[in-house]
Structure formats: structure tokens, C-alpha cells
Amino acid sequence: MASRYSEVYGAWKTDPERFWSEAAEAIDWFERPERAFDAERGIYGQWFPDGLTNSCYNCLDRHVESGRGEQTAFIYDSPVTNTIEHISYGALLDDVKALAAVYRKLGIDKGDRIIIYMPMIPQAAVAMLAAARIGAVHSVVFGGFAANELAVRIEDCRAKLIVSASCGIEPGRTVAYKPLLDAAITIAEHKPAHCLVYQRDMLTAEMVPVRDIDYAAALTAAKEAGDEAGCTPVASTDPLYVLYTSGTTGQPKGVVRDNGGHMVALKWSMQNFFGVQPGEVFWAASDIGWVVGHSFIVYGPLLNGNTSILFEGKPVGTPDPGTYWRIIAEHGVSVMFTAPTALRAIRKEDPDAALVAKYDLSGFRALFLAGERANPDTIRWAEKALGVPIIDHWWQTETGWPVAGNPLGLGLLPVKYGSPAVPLPGYDVQILDDAGHPVEAEILGNVVVKLPLPPGCLPTLWNADHRFRAAYLDEFPGYYKTADAGYLDEDGYVFIMARTDDIINVAGHRLSTGAMEEVCASHPDVAECAVIGIADALKGQIPAGFLVINSNVSRETSEIEREVISLVRDRIGPVAAFRTAMCVKRLPKTRSGKILRATIQKIADRQPWKMPATIDDPAILDEIAAVLHAKGIGI
Ligand code: COA
Ligand code: AMP
């Protein structure tokens, strides 16, 4: 089929407000917005400013009312607990109504914040939707973060309630969540009034009297009492959630998502980008703690009337590298989304993709990849193994939905390996040099999006308008700075090459090296430090720390390295995958004292590098190279 991309992108460019007004017709409103956009409101304007709606209503009630009640909304597939459970739209709605009533009884009102710190279990999605139902603002925190990170989030959004579980299951170990939760509440100055804790069979958490409430018991009691909460009408521009993402310091950024624009953008993208129709099975193999989980495990598929899969497992080891193919075949997945790192993990264990042949993948149409750069080699391997289009697409927590990609729903364009294809309607992607001037095709520069951002993108950061402007809008007036570097080719294809800030991408997880440096520097024996991301064949990048030790310390450096590694694990969490720390005599710096992180990275990654003209003492780079080589890095 010839792609309709140019026609549809052109229609958006000619009249963006008309384009999004038409898209908004796919959403149910209590009060239909009269205007698509008000440039005078918010920081760069606001979408559907006078609409009244409810995200939970659009995800659940309207499907049940229109006869989809029996259709499966979620398939919970958990190889780590040997569980497969089908939850219909009707049953999900019953749970959500009851949990929303529990929230109400606990004094949660519209606009109050609820933190959700849970593993990949259906109760987590119920907790999100129940918050949306009463207009409360949820903030999901990924389970791989440690107590300190959780505390920072509790404090920043001043959560009134935390919904959690007794444990998560990682291959080979049970992760007790409750001690992390208790520690976080101790650290945070702001104390939530209550915690609703879902007790899992594998580990029972100790409850703090009065503060802690058993999730399942409260839900059952509400159902038995017939307690149900209706949908609270919220302004289109009211916040649905806050999702914290790594910033350039230890303080994460609270990305705000509104209700109306978010729904319009996700609903549009499910059909026009991912090419899935209501009733089909869609699977995003991610975690609800990430934006992918918010947009494409929970909200997008439910808004579109799909069956979505909640997968509690890993691409390998649960039990083998055929798990993805088993799930696609067993549950009739039409379209799937994962991170390239997952494919690399599978390929490492099953290089010839022999396990694919065990399963009937005839109903499978496409595999979408995002979260990190998709290396052409991995894409070609997956194309050969699966025989379906493998579609790279690029976006960020901030945007909430794809900025660029090859739109399956509109008809695929020719593939260019290494490029996530073309900007989607809503996004005028441009490349600027550091002085803010447009550069020509094929020239690397700062990837920016002309304002206003489309519906679904962040309107601001939680309680931090100033930081929002400073981080994203001030450097290139009139544009949103993505903090990615890249270029456009002659055909308008986007190529994303690297970050322009301190963010690294570890197994598709976004992490700040600045935050890790703050933790390393807090070790009493560390005088100064640098953390960089070095290339890793499986995870894309992994962090490596360089530590300069105080001159009066005579302990074994290997002991200090071990302590720093466990400090990062304790403060940030295992997700940081911080396993490489090395003590060095000195750090290479410019004469003005700036640490030459990029040069260290090039040496570690065996990339060509030039001696920086401003370097203070070139001999330090030889010292660094020797330390790296001793660890087997950069040889
Ligand atoms: N709760 C607690 N701990 C968690 C966790 C969670 N929800 N998720 C991960 N962790 C822990 C892991 O157990 C691991 O701990 P360890 O250091 O004790 O082994 C650490 O955090 C790193 O986890 P992970 O990044 O998952 O690495 P891994 O080596 O266990 O697995 C992959 C590697 C590639 C298989 C895995 O990263 C993966 O499936 N990635 C897919 C990418 C993805 O889902 N990205 C989301 C954005 S699209
Ligand atoms: P996150 O906010 O966690 O989704 O991370 C967003 C960042 O991941 C982007 O700014 C990019 O640096 C990177 N990223 C995501 N998808 C891609 C992609 N398809 N190609 C290259 N980089 C990507």
C-alpha cells in the first residue's frame, strides 16, 4: 500500500488545530473543547483548553458501555510466577471503581498525588486507572530504584498515598519492596498519610499499624459494601500523572502529562502509527515504571480498545530466549514494542533464532523498537528471524509518544537503517547549531522541535515552570530542545546519534551520570570523580566511574571501589548497573578545570580522539588509558 504519510503530515502542517480537533473526535468528552489550542495559556500554549473529560472513562467505561465488557483488557503473563491471567474490560472496571472508592475513603481528592511503587502486576495498572478516575495524579516509580530515589519523588510531589506491593520478582531473587518503601518514608520529610500494600504470596510484608492498609482486603471490602467511585470530570489540561525522569543533576525532573491532549495523541498513534485496530492484541514489553509502560501498556492500548499484555519477566532466562515468541504466538499478538537491548540479549543466547521456529507467528505483523539507538545489525537480525517489519522509532519521556518513526498505520515508507524515519504529524523537527542557526541536511547538530509541542507532550515540569523553561526552552528560543544530537538527511529522515547532556542509556533505561557522580562524591574517601557511559554490546551503554582518592587515605583502592559501587546501588538502585569503578591518580581537565569526560569515553570505546587543545596535562590521558586497560576496557 502506498504510504499516506506525506498527505497526512501535510494536512497537519497546513492546519494543526483542525488536524488535532478532528483527532479529538475519537475521544469522549463531558464537555467537548471548542478550541483545539490556546497559545496564551500555559508556558507554550495548551491543547483543548476548555474540554472536560476523564482518562479512566475513555479507557474503560466507554468500552464496557459499547459492548466490549467481555473482551480481555489485560493478559497478565508472568513466567516468574507461572501465572497467566485474562482480565476483561468489565472486570477491570469493577476493580478500578472499587479501588477508586478506597482512595476516596482515604481522603484522596482531585489533584492529590498518589505514588505507585509496584512490580509488573495487574494491581499496578488498576492503581493508575483508579487515580485517573477520581482526578488524582499518579506518579509511578520504577521498582529498580532504591529508597533514596523513591524518597526524592515522595518529597517532590508531596504524595498523600503510596500504593505498593510486598515484593517484585527478579530472576533468581525476590526483591522485598516494603523495606525500601519504609526507608523512603523515613528519609522523606513529607510523610504520606497511608500506604496501600498488595501482599504477594511469595513474601509477606510487615505492616505499620494505621498507616499501612492491605490492598486486597480494602478492595474486597469496598466491593462487598458496593462502594464505587464514578468518573470525576477533569479539565483537559489537568494533570493525569507525573513521571520522574533523569535530569542533569540528582534531582529528577517531574514530567507532567495532561488528560485531554494525552488521550488524543495516544489514540491517534495507536491506529495511525502502530497500525493496530480495536480488538487486536498489542504488547509493549516494558515496565509501567517507564513512559513506554504508561503510554503503551496502559493508556494507549486501553484507549484504543486493544488487549494489552502485562509481562512480568525478562527476554532471556524466564525461562529461555524464546519467551517473547511464545507470548506472541500464545496470545495472538499483532504488534509488539520492545527495546533493542532485549533483542541483543535474545540474540546472544539464541544467535540463529532457532527458538522462533517453535512458535506460530503467522498473526504477527510488526515489531517496534525504541528507548535507545537501534543498531542496524540488530534490526537486520530480527528482520531475518521474524520476517516482519522491524520499526525503529524515537521519542522521550517528555514527549509521551513517538516524535519520529515509520508509520505502519499510514503505510510504511522505505527503511533507512540507522534512522527512526520521519517526523510524525505534530512535530516540526529541525537541526540547529549551538548558536541556534539551522544547519543543512546531513550536518550534525542539536535536534529541536518547533513550538508548540503537539498534544500529549509535557506542558511543564511538576511545580517547576522555571526549570522547564531553563532545561528545554531557553537555549533555542521558539524551540523545544530534545537534548539529542543528530541530523536530517535530504529526504527528511531523522538520525539520532547521541545525547548532548549527561544522560546515558543503560539497557533502554535512562540514567544521569551526574546523579551517579553526586553519589560517588559523597563517599568520604573520594576527592573528585567522573562518571561516563561506555559502550556495551548488550546494554548499549554502562556507567563507569573514575575516582580520585583523598591523599591522606591509605586503604586498598579496590576496597573503596567496592564501597562506591554498593553506594550507587543503595542510593540509586540496581537499575543503574553501576559495576565499574576505578581509582585514578588524577582526572584529565581543561585549563579552566572542566573534566574531559568525552575524551575519556572515546578512549574507553576505542574511538578515534584528538588531544584537546585546552588540556591541562596530556600525560593524564595515558594514566587513564592504563587504568582502563588494566580493567580490560578500551583495548
Ligand atoms: N525491581 C527490582 N530490581 C530490578 C527491577 C525491578 N523492577 N528491574 C531491574 N532490576 C534490577 C535487576 O535485577 C538487575 O539487578 P542485578 O544488578 O542484581 O542483576 C539490575 O536492576 C539491572 O537490571 P536490568 O537492566 O534489567 O539488567 P539485567 O542484566 O537484569 O537484564 C536485559 C538485561 C537486557 C535482559 C534487560 O535490561 C531487559 O529486558 N531490557 C529490556 C529493556 C526495557 O524493558 N526497557 C524499558 C524501556 S522500553
Ligand atoms: P526516555 O525518556 O527514557 O524514553 O529516553 C529518551 C532518550 O532515549 C532519547 O532522548 C534518546 O536519547 C534515546 N532514544 C529513544 N529512542 C531512540 C531511538 N529510536 N534512537 C536513538 N535514541 C533513542
Side-chain angles (χ1 to χ4, degrees), residues 495-512:
F495 288 75
I496 301 296
M497 307 310 290
R499 289 285 299 196
T500 59
D501 56 11
D502 73 338
I503 299 293
I504 57 170
N505 211 308
V506 182
H509 309 319
R510 171 171 161 177
L511 297 160
S512 156

Side-chain angles (χ1 to χ4, degrees), residues 536-549:
D536 180 78
L538 175 65
K539 298 196 174 191
Q541 282 182 302
I542 47 164
F546 298 82
L547 317 170
V548 178
I549 303 305

Side-chain angles (χ1 to χ4, degrees), residues 245 290-291 369-374 392-398 420 482 484 496 498-499 505 508-510:
T245 190
W290 307 116
V291 69
L369 298 180
E372 55 171 329
R373 191 175 152 75
D392 180 15
H393 63 305
W394 163 68
W395 52 296
Q396 313 179 301
T397 305
E398 288 85 344
T482 65
D484 279 317
I496 301 296
R499 289 285 299 196
N505 211 308
H509 309 319
R510 171 171 161 177

Side-chain angles (χ1 to χ4, degrees), residues 71-85:
Q71 184 195 310
T72 301
F74 283 124
I75 301 172
Y76 167 51
D77 189 308
S78 168
V80 292
T81 59
N82 283 321
T83 312
I84 293 178
E85 199 181 315

Side-chain angles (χ1 to χ4, degrees), residues 37-101:
F37 187 67
D38 185 345
E40 302 305 318
R41 290 178 48 152
I43 293 183
Y44 60 82
Q46 280 180 340
W47 289 98
F48 312 111
D50 50 1
L52 271 188
T53 187
N54 183 283
S55 293
C56 179
Y57 179 82
N58 275 281
C59 285
L60 300 179
D61 301 63
R62 72 162 170 168
H63 296 313
V64 174
E65 286 163 16
S66 67
R68 258 182 217 288
E70 299 292 311
Q71 184 195 310
T72 301
F74 283 124
I75 301 172
Y76 167 51
D77 189 308
S78 168
V80 292
T81 59
N82 283 321
T83 312
I84 293 178
E85 199 181 315
H86 289 72
I87 303 159
S88 69
Y89 272 92
L92 183 61
L93 178 57
D94 288 345
D95 278 3
V96 168
K97 279 179 178 170
L99 190 69

